[in-house]
Amino acid sequence: MTAILGISAFYHDSAAALLVDGEIVAAAQEERFSRKKHDEDFPKQSVAYCLEQAGMEIEEIDFVAFYEKPLLKFERLIETFVRFAPLGYQSFRQAIPKWLNGKLQIPKLLRQGLDSRYQGPFVFTEHHESHAASAFFPSPFDESAILTIDGVGEWSTTCIGSGKGNHIEIDYEIRFPHSLGLLYSAFTYYAGFRVNSGEYKLMGLAPYGKPKYRKQILDHLIDLKEDGSFRLDMKYFNYCQGLTMTSKHFELLFGGKPRSPESRLTQRDMDIAASIQSVTEEAMLKLAIQAGKVTGSKNLVLAGGVALNCVGNGKILRESSFDEIWIQPASGDAGGALGAAQFTWHQLLNRPRVAKRCDSQKASLLGPEFDDETIRSAIDAAGLTCNLLGSDQEICDHVAELIDLGNVIGWFQGRMEFGPRALGARSILGDARSERMQQLMNLKIKFRESFRPFAPIVLEEYADHYFDLEPNQTSPYMLLVAPVRSEIRRDHEDSSDDATFQDRLQQVRSTIPAVTHIDYSARIQTVSEDRNPMLYQLMKSFHHRTGCGVLINTSFNVRSEPIVCSPSDAVRCFVNTDIDVLVMGKFVVEKKMQSTPFLSTDREAHLKQFQLD
């Protein structure tokens, strides 16, 4: 038996993943345990969970694989500081002590994090090798093209490569400071959202605007070639030498300073979001086409933070020549822990690999699960009353009825998801047919901006009934966007440019309005019995009751908090929001059945905070 522990840490989204004889046994982000969003500390609790899941002690681990090469990254930092000196001194003063006092001593930090009990070797893979490994090795393909795009690892920001059998190879790279991920993050910063966590907000805002600034971006910021290669004009950016993403030249080009966080969004902000989204999609498509030309493969796998841009992924699926694409569900840095472990097993140890028909990611349900006793204890500790239902079918029929009656459900079942998406294990569910559900869930449950779209989950066998997908096209990890079919769309009276943001937000666009974005698109998760039997059973019950095979699925958390992990996390979120019903295992807790009224949060403050022009 060979056990390999993969670790990503000390930058963004620390995580641990465990392989035993090449099989993925467990993987989880540290933030889920620590409750600290994007926790970057050593993933001590994630490691403990992975070992517990495997029934192992740390001394039984054969290799510890780290997701990047610290010395190579330090080289890039030093060369960047020297290149821009004396500019960037403040940034230099902040960064260098952290490296000299810790980040250059990763083996020591790893041993400390493992309580000095691990005495085996460490393996350091390059950042984009980790991404590429996480994309190819769990995929259902024996061979494929590989495309990884993110902000930056050591030097690489974009890589094209190929995978075959148990081997991957990087053929081409774009190097720092030229980065599609950092370009998108610069606009995230300029739009008033937080870098490394607000990019998905920018993507959600884009459909409300028009790409009026697209030409300015292509003329001044990025020189994008037909083969997908690109260079940035660095005078518009400040991330190499400063503490901000954009420079004064950027502000002059777009006519103003960055939007203040939490301030009102304007049409200009929406147009800027639409512009950078358009450019990003074009760059992603050109890179994908080039990957196909270089490798000659009809399959494509993707990873890296930019691979979470599901609109760009949908464009690649529709407009490239690939027959199939597969995207790592934990495409960001957390997935690097899994990739580093798999790279060690397959490529360095030369262990064979057999591609599985679906994939070997196990529906990305790789986190902890909890027994009935633990669930009941969390419910009792909160002073809540509950019903215990008998069979899975009884649970699903009852919850389907509750959803049909307009209730919002906190759904907590089985093993937690690995990656940023809730895939039906730690989810909030609602009726996609409701005309008011999107705003209700955004403002009264998620406490977030009302423009943010919700994703649909759809029974796999009915996906092409609701969305423009090829028959049998699947999207199990919620990483593809597709148009809503024209047959279920609804025309709305006021589609003029003079319509206010609120008017457009409240327009009913289809028979499933709660998951239909302003541009008639939806970020789709297809649900099948083999990947998530309990969720599938619930959706079958809802379909049998209503004739609708679609539900809202959003992550079980509130704004600025990680997705819930434990029953106690779920109870706390349930109590402090307007979720109507909590379903954990076979236990059902309904707010209306509680003898003690809940203290309501200041709803007016939240509504005022997110009021938009």
Side-chain angles (χ1 to χ4, degrees):
M1 182 182 76
T2 302
I4 304 173
L5 180 66
I7 291 177
S8 63
F10 311 127
Y11 176 61
H12 187 70
D13 281 342
S14 293
L18 181 63
L19 266 61
V20 177
D21 288 339
E23 180 183 358
I24 306 172
V25 173
Q29 296 113 292
E30 186 69 7
E31 67 166 17
R32 305 293 173 82
F33 303 97
S34 68
R35 311 310 300 158
K36 177 183 174 184
K37 190 79 168 173
H38 301 302
D39 194 342
E40 64 181 34
D41 292 336
F42 180 86
K44 198 172 187 68
Q45 295 179 80
S46 297
V47 168
Y49 153 68
C50 288
L51 293 171
E52 181 183 5
Q53 182 68 28
M56 299 179 67
E57 298 294 331
I58 190 62
E59 291 86 353
E60 298 176 80
I61 297 297
D62 297 284
F63 298 92
V64 171
F66 192 69
Y67 79 127
E68 63 183 11
K69 295 189 173 182
L71 289 177
L72 198 56
K73 190 166 188 173
F74 185 66
E75 172 192 287
R76 189 252 299 169
L77 290 172
I78 292 297
E79 286 195 22
T80 301
F81 287 137
V82 170
R83 177 183 170 188
F84 285 91
L87 298 176
Y89 177 69
Q90 192 65 31
S91 177
F92 178 85
R93 283 188 60 192
Q94 289 191 17
I96 293 304
K98 293 179 181 179
W99 279 87
L100 295 179
N101 295 327
K103 291 185 177 182
L104 278 177
Q105 306 173 53
I106 295 296
K108 178 181 177 181
L109 294 177
L110 293 176
R111 288 203 192 278
Q112 288 175 348
L114 298 170
D115 296 328
S116 299
R117 292 167 57 193
Y118 175 74
Q119 298 301 316
F122 291 103
V123 177
F124 294 89
T125 59
E126 288 193 25
H127 188 99
H128 275 259
E129 281 181 336
S130 299
H131 279 322
S134 77
F136 177 66
F137 290 132
S139 79
F141 310 134
D142 183 61
E143 62 80 27
S144 78
I146 300 171
L147 177 60
T148 65
I149 317 172
D150 67 2
V152 62
E154 296 89 358
W155 280 104
S156 296
T157 67
T158 301
C159 287
I160 290 174
S162 59
K164 186 171 184 179
N166 69 340
H167 187 82
I168 64 171
E169 187 170 339
I170 304 299
D171 302 309
Y172 167 82
E173 68 173 0
I174 297 174
R175 289 164 66 91
F176 183 86
H178 308 290
S179 166
L180 191 61
L182 291 175
L183 174 66
Y184 203 86
S185 290
F187 278 89
T188 300
Y189 165 82
Y190 191 70
F193 303 126
R194 182 174 295 179
V195 172
N196 288 330
S197 63
E199 283 77 5
Y200 55 92
K201 297 182 183 182
L202 195 69
M203 183 176 64
L205 186 63
Y208 292 97
K210 294 183 178 180
K212 294 180 178 179
Y213 301 95
R214 172 186 161 85
K215 187 174 186 301
Q216 287 172 246
I217 295 172
L218 291 170
D219 286 349
H220 297 277
L221 269 60
I222 181 171
D223 180 13
L224 179 62
K225 304 299 186 184
E226 280 304 309
D227 64 357
S229 62
F230 58 85
R231 290 183 65 84
L232 303 184
D233 187 337
M234 297 309 301
K235 80 175 185 180
Y236 293 99
F237 304 96
N238 201 38
Y239 55 77
C240 286
Q241 70 275 27
L243 301 175
T244 61
M245 292 298 296
T246 58
S247 71
K248 296 294 183 183
H249 294 284
F250 192 104
E251 296 174 8
L252 288 172
L253 182 64
F254 293 102
K257 291 184 177 297
R259 168 180 165 262
S260 298
E262 309 296 354
S263 63
R264 289 172 179 263
L265 285 162
T266 66
Q267 188 59 49
R268 175 177 168 276
D269 298 316
M270 300 171 204
D271 293 339
I272 285 176
S275 302
I276 187 55
Q277 178 64 32
S278 173
V279 171
T280 301
E281 290 171 26
E282 181 181 350
M284 291 176 69
L285 179 61
K286 287 182 173 180
L287 285 164
I289 291 171
Q290 181 66 12
K293 289 179 180 178
V294 168
T295 63
S297 179
K298 289 297 182 181
N299 303 316
L300 175 69
V301 297
L302 299 104
V306 177
L308 294 172
N309 193 306
C310 49
V311 183
N313 295 337
K315 193 176 185 73
I316 291 172
L317 178 66
R318 293 188 300 273
E319 300 184 26
S320 72
S321 60
F322 292 105
D323 293 336
E324 294 187 75
I325 69 173
W326 191 87
I327 306 152
Q328 167 54 240
S331 275
D333 281 1
L338 179 59
Q342 291 180 309
F343 187 89
T344 303
W345 172 256
H346 290 297
Q347 192 125 337
L348 300 183
L349 299 179
N350 198 30
R351 299 300 175 90
R353 169 183 174 267
V354 177
K356 296 185 178 180
R357 183 182 61 84
C358 289
D359 58 47
S360 60
Q361 188 87 8
K362 298 183 177 180
S364 217
L365 301 176
L366 302 172
E369 61 182 333
F370 298 85
D371 59 23
D372 288 346
E373 182 179 353
T374 305
I375 292 172
R376 185 60 189 254
S377 294
I379 294 170
D380 290 345
L384 302 174
T385 59
C386 65
N387 292 321
L388 175 63
L389 300 184
S391 66
D392 288 350
Q393 190 62 57
E394 184 181 359
I395 295 167
C396 291
D397 288 344
H398 181 57
V399 174
E401 179 183 8
L402 290 170
I403 295 173
D404 186 30
L405 293 172
N407 290 284
V408 176
I409 310 296
W411 181 255
F412 184 105
Q413 300 289 336
R415 296 185 69 177
M416 181 181 70
E417 303 90 340
F418 179 53
R421 311 291 188 209
L423 302 172
R426 305 290 186 271
S427 291
I428 297 174
L429 305 177
D431 192 343
R433 302 168 302 165
S434 170
E435 297 180 6
R436 57 185 287 271
M437 191 60 69
Q438 179 188 2
Q439 288 200 66
L440 184 150
M441 289 176 73
N442 266 330
L443 295 176
K444 301 188 75 177
I445 295 169
K446 300 287 281 186
F447 304 149
R448 68 184 197 182
E449 302 90 344
S450 60
F451 70 83
R452 300 267 296 279
F454 286 110
I457 47 176
V458 57
L459 288 166
E460 188 173 279
E461 59 267 35
Y462 293 111
D464 62 336
H465 295 198
Y466 296 93
F467 308 103
D468 283 336
L469 295 170
E470 294 294 324
N472 301 318
Q473 174 66 52
T474 64
S475 177
Y477 299 123
M478 203 186 289
L479 287 169
L480 292 172
V481 163
V484 171
R485 290 187 67 87
S486 59
E487 295 90 331
I488 66 169
R489 294 184 184 185
R490 290 182 183 175
D491 293 329
H492 44 79
E493 296 179 2
D494 189 358
S495 59
S496 69
D497 290 341
D498 295 332
T500 67
F501 181 86
Q502 288 294 340
D503 288 339
R504 286 179 288 160
L505 189 64
Q506 294 171 11
Q507 288 162 349
V508 176
R509 295 180 176 81
S510 75
T511 58
I512 46 172
V515 294
T516 303
H517 208 9
I518 189 171
D519 59 352
Y520 295 99
S521 69
R523 189 183 74 207
I524 300 161
Q525 180 192 351
T526 55
V527 178
S528 61
E529 188 171 15
D530 58 337
R531 289 181 183 272
N532 195 326
M534 187 69 171
L535 183 64
Y536 181 82
Q537 192 171 354
L538 169 62
M539 295 190 69
K540 290 292 283 187
S541 293
F542 188 76
H543 182 260
H544 179 76
R545 179 182 179 86
T546 66
C548 179
V550 182
L551 290 174
I552 296 172
N553 174 26
T554 189
S555 55
F556 198 158
N557 66 313
V558 296
R559 186 174 187 255
S560 301
E561 288 188 2
I563 296 173
V564 302
C565 175
S566 69
S568 296
D569 299 333
V571 166
R572 187 163 50 250
C573 186
F574 169 69
V575 167
N576 290 312
T577 65
D578 282 345
I579 295 173
D580 299 298
V581 181
L582 174 61
V583 183
M584 291 196 292
K586 295 181 179 181
F587 296 91
V588 179
V589 185
E590 299 186 45
K591 277 217 175 110
K592 67 180 182 181
M593 303 300 292
Q594 305 307 310
S595 57
T596 304
F598 287 85
L599 294 174
S600 63
T601 27
D602 187 356
R603 309 300 182 196
E604 293 301 320
H606 287 294
L607 290 169
K608 184 177 181 181
Q609 181 180 8
F610 298 123
Q611 185 178 358
L612 305 172
D613 289 335

